[in-house]
Amino acid sequence: RFIRSGLGKPVSLAYVGAIPADPAVERAVCKRQLLTAAHPEAPAARALMAVAACLEATAPSPSERRALPACSVIGGVPGCRLT
């Protein structure tokens, strides 16, 4: 599937990381706990925090987000609003 902006132009997606398979995820889910709180040193928790830090560092400011058009996914999947 291809993502396009509200203007019909392709959206550039940057790779920010991957979350590895980790048994700590299942343990946290079964206990209804947040992974990063229950198992902060688990590989998946550390990777999740790294991805979150990357996204936070590159996120547009609130005023920049309001100026962005809605995006949609080709293939009938509902679009998203970045506000």
Side-chain angles (χ1 to χ4, degrees), residues 12-74:
S12 176
L13 300 177
Y15 178 80
V16 294
I19 311 300
D22 186 341
V25 174
E26 183 178 355
R27 290 194 303 271
V29 169
C30 287
K31 293 180 180 180
R32 296 183 181 179
Q33 297 176 331
L34 297 173
L35 173 65
T36 54
H39 307 285
E41 295 301 317
R46 293 171 59 196
L48 181 61
M49 294 304 293
V51 167
C54 182
L55 292 173
E56 184 177 40
T58 59
S61 69
S63 62
E64 291 171 321
R65 284 195 303 266
R66 281 190 289 277
L68 293 172
C71 65
S72 60
V73 178
I74 295 173

